[in-house]
Amino acid sequence: AAHGGMARFGNDDGYLIGPPEVVFPALERFAAKVRERCLLHLQVAKTEVFTWQGVVPAEAPADMKRAGVQVGDSWYPGYLCYGIPVGTREYCQHMLMEKVEEVSTEVNRVKQVLGEEDSQAIWCILKCSLAQKLDWHLSLSYPSDIHIPALRMDAILWDLLQHCTRLHIPKGEEGLGVECVLDLPGVT
């Protein structure tokens, strides 16, 4: 803190922020004390170094990797903080879309296994499991980062609903409006 940084730990994750000449010696002292007192070893291979430029500082141990993801020819700096992507906009959007595509794979697997026979079971299984999949990300990600992945998630859920009902349910953007309007008392 004296150097404008901080350290936060939760479960088995730790986040150190500050100037490299302060952070890395502090991490070494922490690792030594945890090893001595708790017989736990810092897994340097799992430790990532985040910088906005995507360059690992010279002060970092040689076996520490830079935090981010390679997409094609581009490097997007970022890291996951309790599952939530933090970093450049490109990193966050990429990681959120990966999460949505993971959900898409699960939906398709359940549809394949259960087939056309039990639409109620498919809907119940997926509705219960999908309800939790993106809520954490929706609540903790910037709306601008999650906008495109959320649109993809909507398409996945819409397809699932049509699969379970065995109907094509028209969307407003198809110019077809809504075929079924609920008649609710007091609601126009």
Side-chain angles (χ1 to χ4, degrees):
H3 300 277
M6 61 172 256
R8 294 289 183 266
F9 292 84
N11 300 325
D12 62 346
D13 294 335
Y15 301 92
L16 286 75
I17 299 169
E21 62 275 6
V22 175
V23 166
F24 294 108
L27 181 60
E28 282 182 39
R29 288 190 306 276
F30 173 78
K33 286 183 181 181
V34 166
R35 185 174 44 254
E36 177 187 310
R37 294 180 184 170
C38 305
L39 300 177
L40 297 174
H41 297 271
L42 177 69
Q43 294 185 8
V44 177
K46 289 185 170 183
T47 304
E48 297 180 333
V49 179
F50 171 77
T51 63
W52 286 107
Q53 298 75 25
V55 177
V56 176
E59 294 87 349
D63 46 355
M64 279 192 187
K65 57 186 176 189
R66 65 182 175 160
V69 65
Q70 184 78 37
V71 179
D73 293 334
S74 300
W75 178 259
Y76 300 142
Y79 62 97
L80 295 176
C81 181
Y82 299 116
I84 300 300
V86 176
T88 62
R89 170 162 283 144
E90 296 84 4
Y91 174 83
C92 293
Q93 290 173 344
H94 175 79
M95 297 306 287
L96 289 166
M97 189 59 84
E98 272 194 354
K99 188 66 174 172
V100 170
E101 291 307 325
E102 181 183 307
V103 170
S104 178
T105 300
E106 291 176 23
V107 166
N108 290 329
R109 190 175 307 129
V110 170
K111 284 169 37 179
Q112 262 184 339
V113 170
L114 295 179
E116 299 282 337
E117 296 306 312
D118 196 348
S119 295
Q120 179 68 23
I122 293 172
W123 182 253
C124 288
I125 288 169
L126 290 172
K127 181 178 165 283
C128 291
S129 67
L130 292 178
Q132 308 303 316
K133 290 284 184 187
L134 214 56
D135 282 356
W136 177 250
H137 295 82
L138 285 167
S139 65
L140 294 171
S141 297
Y142 286 117
S144 58
D145 290 341
I146 202 154
H147 178 75
I148 301 296
L151 290 174
R152 172 75 176 118
M153 186 68 172
D154 287 348
I156 292 165
L157 292 173
W158 194 266
D159 178 65
L160 174 61
L161 179 61
Q162 291 185 130
H163 175 83
C164 290
T165 60
R166 294 185 186 95
L167 297 171
H168 171 72
I169 304 169
K171 296 180 183 178
E173 57 265 19
E174 292 176 333
L176 301 173
V178 179
E179 287 182 358
C180 175
V181 178
L182 297 177
D183 185 19
L184 299 173
V187 178
T188 54

